[in-house]
Structures are given as C-alpha cells and as structure tokens.
Amino acid sequence: MLIRHLINVRSLIQSSTHHVSQYVAPNQVSKYFARAKLIDTIRLGLPSSSPDALIAVLENSKLDSFVITNAIRAAPSPDSALNLVKNLERSPYFSHTKHSVHAVAKVLARSRRSNELRELVGAINDGEFRKVGKASFMERMHWYALAQDWDSVLCVWDELQKQVDRPCTEAYNIVMDLYARKGQDLDAVHTFYRIIERGGIPNSRTYTVMIEHLVNSRKKEAAKEVFNVLPSMRVKRTSKQYSILVDAFSTSKQFDVVKSLLNEMQIEGALPKRSILSSLQAMQESGFLEETSELVAMMMPDDRIQKIEFCMDDREDDGEDEGEDEDDNSDHNGDCAIGQVQLKPWLDPNALAVALGQWTPEEVSALEDAKIVWTSRLVCKMIRGFKSAETAWHFFCWVAYQPEFVHDVHTLSRMITKLARSGNFGVVDQLISKIKRDKMKLAFNTVRLMIDFYGLSKNGDAALKVFREVKMLCTPISEFNMLLLYSSLLRALTKCNMSSDVMAILDEMFSSGIHPDIQTFTGLMHYFATKGDFRTVQKLFAMVRQSGVQPDGYLYKVLIRAYCKSERAPLALRLFEDMRNFKLSPDLATKSLLVKSLWKEGKLREAAMVEERCEEISDALPLALPGHLFTISSRDLTKVFKIYSSSFSPERP
C-alpha cells in the first residue's frame, strides 16, 4: 500500500527565499555533470529511512530548479518523490518554479492521487505559486488523464470547448483514450469522427490510441488493418504502434505476422521499444532465431553501464511497500539487514546536448572525462537534442572515435536527416558516399525525409539526386513505397517551383506503371491552379479519370476554391455539378465561397441553383471536408473510420 503523503501546498509556496548559488562551473558541460551528480545523490538518499541524510543534501548551495525537477522525475518511486518535496520546505536554497511544480503534478498523477492533484492545480491557478502561471487546459487534461480521474478530464474538456471553436487534435486524443479505457467504445469512435467532421487531421498518437483500443478489445486484426492504411496517409508508424501489435500477435502465437511486422519496422527504420523483448524471446523459443537475434541483442541491458549504489539501514522499514519481499535486495551481516539501492546513473541526452551547444575544447574535455558508455540509442537521442546541425556533426565525428562505439544505420540516418533539415547538402553527400562505399543500406523513411527536407530548403536538384540514387541506398523497394517516394519528390519539386520537372517525373511514373494516388493529384492540381495554369489542371484531371481513380470530396473542394479565387466561377460551378453527380457534397465554407463568387460575376440564377441544391441536403452538408495536399485523402480517412466504427457496431462480434 502506497504511503500517502499529503502535500501542504501553502507550505510549499512559503518556502524560504531563493538564494543565488555561489558555485560557478568552468563551463556548461561541467555544470551539467555537477548537477547530474547531485541529482543521483538525492535519488539515492530518497529511500533511506533516515531523513537527516536527505536534508543534509538539500542544504547544498548548488540546489536549483533543474536539479530538483529532475530528481523528482527520476525518483525511485512516487512516495520517495513526494518525500523529497516534503523535505524541500526545510531547504534555504530553493523555491519552486513552473518546472518543479509541474513535476510534482505528474508524480501525483502517475500515483493516482487525484485529490492532492486537484488541490495542487487549484493552488497553481489561484496564483499561490509566485513563479508559476496558470495550468493550461491541455496540461490539466494530461495530468487528470494520467491520474485516470475521468470526471476531471471531461470537466476540463467542457471548459475548453466553450473557449475555442476547434480544440487541438491532442485534446481529442485524450478524450478518445479516456472513453476507450472506460469501455465506452462508441463514445471513443464518435470522438474520432468529430476530429474529422470539424476538419481536423488525426495524428500518429490518434492512431496509437485507436490501435491500442482495438487490441485491448480483442480486435487485433482490425488494429492491423488500421495500421496498414497509415502509410497511404503519410502518417508515421511509431515504435509504440509496432510494440502493441507485436505483443498482441505474439501472445496469440501468430509469429508469421510478428515476423512481417519486424521486417516492416526495419524497412522504416523504427527503433524497437524494449517492451517487445519478451515477445521476441517467445519467438526465439519457437525457432525464429535468425529473425530476432539482432533485435534481442540490441535491447539487452548493456553490462558496461555500471549502476550506482547506496547502502541504507533497513531495520526501521514500515513494511508498507507493495510487492516487496523483506529479503529482496538485502544482505545479512549479523543482526543488521542492509538494503542496497541500485539505479542507473541519471542522464538526460537533451540537456547534455544543450550544454554542449558551443562545442568548445573545455566542454569536449569535460565530456571525455565523464566516460559515458555510448550506445546507438543514446547517440541518436543526443543528435536529436542538438539545436544546431553543425554542433551535432561535431559530436557525430567525435563519438566515432570513442572506445567500443561504431556508428550504425540508426545513427547515420539520424545524422543525415538532421543535416538535410538544415540544408547542409555537402555534408550529406559525404555521408551518402560513405554509405555506398561501406555497402550499408538506409531505411526507406530516411530517404523520404531527405527528399521532404530538400523540398523545404528549396533545393529540388538535391532531391532529384537522392531519388536517382535510392536503389543503391535502400534495400529493394516495393511498388507502393516507390509511389510514396515519387509523391514526396513531386511535392518537393512543387515547393521549388520546378514545374517542368514535375511533369517530367509524372510522365516517368506512368511509364514505370506507377499511378499517383488521389492526394498526390490533389497537391499537383492545387500547385498549378495557384500559378494560374488551368490548362495543366485540366490535363491532370483527365489523368485522374484515365487512371481509374475516383475523385474525392477534398479534391473537388481544392479545385472549386482555386477557381473561385481566380474569378472563374463558371468552371467552379461545373465542378460542383460533377461533384453532385458522384453523390459528393461540398462543405459549408466551399458552398458559401462558390455562391459568393457566382453573385460577384453576375451569375445570379446559378448562385440560386447552388443554394437550392444544397438546401436539399442541408442536414448532411459537412462542416469540413477532411484531407491534406499530397498526404491524406477523404477516402482513406473514411476507410479508417469504417474499420474502427464497424469493430464496435452491435452486429459485429
């Protein structure tokens, strides 16, 4: 049973005045490691039955918000974290900031102390913490959801909807997850529908919630169907989604499906989560050694990483720790039982990357002195944490010479995408040359990201060059993945205003037997329409028909709006009629723009006809037509919704 520590909010607020630390580190990296050492000292002192040792640590003049916040987050247990907060009242060197108070809120949420959490949120919003602003709607929703305080989540959700017309997708995700966990399946489905209905775009986390909901409802096949549609919508499939499905199919001994998932994970370059280790070990026991050995080795604990230890007197333990056998982790020396706390050294890759921002010789020397054990996963996190691609490159080169570390495809991919995002084309070329020399293979998603980033950097020639080398850079690419690569390239070329290259690549696609999907056609037609090249728009529309691809509502919406803005209302009207023939309806905003444009151009009878036709279906006229240029089609969203909703319909088991 958890020890219930009630946080006295007012005593937290009235803690002693903050004193400026007298400690001055020679550089930011040294300061980081000094803080890390203090964080570990606090963490090791937290489980101790003697408060004096912890209080002595809290009297350290180096104590600041960074140290306390991370000590709270990394505490061995919620109770020990709250014990730290309680003892902070006696520290003369600390006063709470937003970061430390929010860390306390998360601890309360994770340990499901809903009453204390609501009390803390009330104090924050009443202004009782001098340095802390009011908790936002999203912060409160996240905390209450983590605490599984469903009533409070829905209360905040109601407040949010009164304040804003279109809440963000993450707010919908929280509510959808809430209903899924409560077993209110149809409410979860309706929440997903509302995202689409209001013109929102579901994100990766939306689909993670959906997949987890389906798997937990014993509908893993439907979850796999949703998962299979995500690449068509250019939605990144996350390691967590892979992990959920791998565990689900492994539990039912469908190892062929698991093998296929692991193969897709490697093609996409996703780093597996350690949570799938037990599933992989089960596969090995069933004879799938070759497919799993490399992944299992990657996820096993690294023996080079030494744990930090602290011995404490165990005799005054109150025995209230849940699931703890009194003999666990203890040595017996005469009549004295001594327990050992073993923790991994505290390390925050993002904070360390920020500290290394200048990459001075002094900072590098301090980094070398720390003797960190560098792993592929840690190096990837470090590269991501650097704000500057140039500093990330310095680190990438430096770490290559560290003992027992060798760059692999994951670290190379992370570095390449970092450089491509910042437009460092020359350095990317050097890395690609190395990859080709060493006969390494990049993940398919890495090449796609490079092309996307070159488009953002307005370097279409670099995007074309990478595309031409894709067969040397990747393992054999499926026809569907080639479609995705072509789509990314076409999008990049439109961003670079390379119209002639766009049409040349389009012709190349058709010649190779690959037809663009509807979202790619929509993006291309929007590009040429904004340039006033309606002849090419008509040509592309004819290609859509010839390809056997049925236009969706979002395509018509994009074209009608483009024609109206170019004062070509009669052509927009023709599209409206075509749309109605396919039993599709414009959304309210598109209908209003078309009517206004027809009136403006003197087509009063036609404007009245549009109004009349729309009045016939006014109850069914959508608020918004979902979709996105080059990425998401209405049809794919409808397909996902049908899979999700039919899984919980009364007639489907």
Side-chain angles (χ1 to χ4, degrees), residues 246-452:
V246 165
D247 286 342
F249 284 100
S250 175
T251 301
S252 60
K253 307 295 183 184
Q254 293 175 262
F255 293 126
D256 286 336
V257 180
V258 177
K259 180 180 173 181
S260 173
L261 285 166
L262 295 176
N263 184 52
E264 290 178 46
M265 187 191 300
Q266 289 182 310
I267 289 171
E268 294 185 2
L271 270 170
K273 293 179 77 69
R274 289 193 172 92
S275 58
I276 69 169
L277 180 58
S278 59
S279 297
L280 296 180
Q281 289 170 334
M283 283 187 73
Q284 287 188 327
E285 290 170 5
S286 298
F288 292 86
L289 295 173
E290 185 179 344
E291 296 86 346
T292 57
S293 56
E294 186 179 339
L295 290 171
V296 169
M298 183 187 299
M299 286 182 284
M300 293 299 287
D302 194 322
D303 294 334
R304 295 174 298 161
I305 301 174
Q306 300 296 314
K307 290 184 171 57
I308 51 174
E309 297 182 359
F310 180 76
C311 294
M312 60 185 180
D313 190 340
D314 236 12
R315 290 170 296 179
E316 296 178 15
D317 185 21
D318 57 15
E320 293 189 45
D321 286 341
E322 223 170 30
E324 249 338 289
D325 187 273
E326 65 181 43
D327 290 331
D328 284 351
N329 300 323
S330 64
D331 297 321
H332 294 279
N333 184 6
D335 295 328
C336 178
I338 303 296
Q340 278 191 333
V341 178
Q342 291 194 337
L343 301 169
K344 277 188 177 181
W346 181 85
L347 179 65
D348 182 339
N350 286 330
L352 181 55
V354 170
L356 281 162
Q358 301 302 314
W359 199 258
T360 63
E362 293 77 19
E363 290 174 346
V364 175
S365 177
L367 182 62
E368 289 172 345
D369 292 342
K371 303 211 178 333
I372 292 173
V373 176
W374 295 106
T375 63
S376 174
R377 198 179 291 266
L378 176 56
V379 169
C380 284
K381 289 179 179 179
M382 286 288 295
I383 292 170
R384 184 177 60 188
F386 285 107
K387 293 182 180 179
S388 161
E390 184 181 354
T391 310
W393 174 244
H394 287 314
F395 168 77
F396 181 86
C397 296
W398 172 85
V399 80
Y401 292 96
Q402 299 312 300
E404 298 185 59
F405 179 77
V406 178
H407 283 297
D408 61 13
V409 68
H410 296 293
T411 57
L412 280 165
S413 295
R414 188 56 62 94
M415 191 67 249
I416 285 172
T417 51
K418 185 89 170 181
L419 293 165
R421 183 193 287 268
S422 62
N424 288 278
F425 313 120
V427 184
V428 172
D429 283 343
Q430 291 177 37
L431 282 176
I432 288 177
S433 297
K434 173 180 172 50
I435 287 166
K436 288 190 288 190
R437 280 197 313 271
D438 296 347
K439 296 183 179 179
M440 297 177 71
K441 296 295 180 183
L442 288 175
F444 160 74
N445 275 354
T446 301
V447 177
R448 266 186 66 200
L449 278 173
M450 290 170 65
I451 291 171
D452 289 338

Side-chain angles (χ1 to χ4, degrees), residues 43-159:
R43 290 168 68 212
L44 289 170
L46 286 176
S48 172
S49 58
S50 172
D52 294 337
L54 179 60
I55 292 167
V57 175
L58 296 180
E59 290 177 353
N60 194 314
S61 62
K62 299 176 188 176
L63 210 64
D64 60 15
S65 177
F66 179 91
V67 170
I68 291 301
T69 299
N70 285 289
I72 292 170
R73 289 173 180 167
S77 69
D79 284 332
S80 59
L82 296 178
N83 182 43
L84 167 60
V85 173
K86 185 177 180 181
N87 280 287
L88 279 171
E89 300 169 22
R90 301 159 73 175
S91 170
Y93 294 103
F94 181 75
S95 62
H96 279 284
T97 64
K98 174 182 175 179
H99 300 297
S100 61
V101 171
H102 284 204
V104 174
K106 267 197 173 176
V107 169
L108 292 172
R110 285 203 177 100
S111 55
R112 299 183 189 176
R113 291 165 160 87
S114 297
N115 291 334
E116 293 98 318
L117 177 60
R118 285 193 293 271
E119 183 183 346
L120 179 60
V121 169
I124 292 170
N125 288 347
D126 288 342
E128 296 187 32
F129 290 91
R130 291 184 296 108
K131 299 179 181 180
V132 184
K134 287 189 175 183
S136 69
F137 289 114
M138 291 307 303
E139 286 165 344
R140 286 188 283 155
M141 286 184 74
H142 274 298
W143 294 336
Y144 291 139
L146 198 58
Q148 296 190 12
D149 183 353
W150 308 133
D151 291 339
S152 295
V153 173
L154 293 176
C155 250
V156 179
W157 173 236
D158 289 339
E159 287 180 53

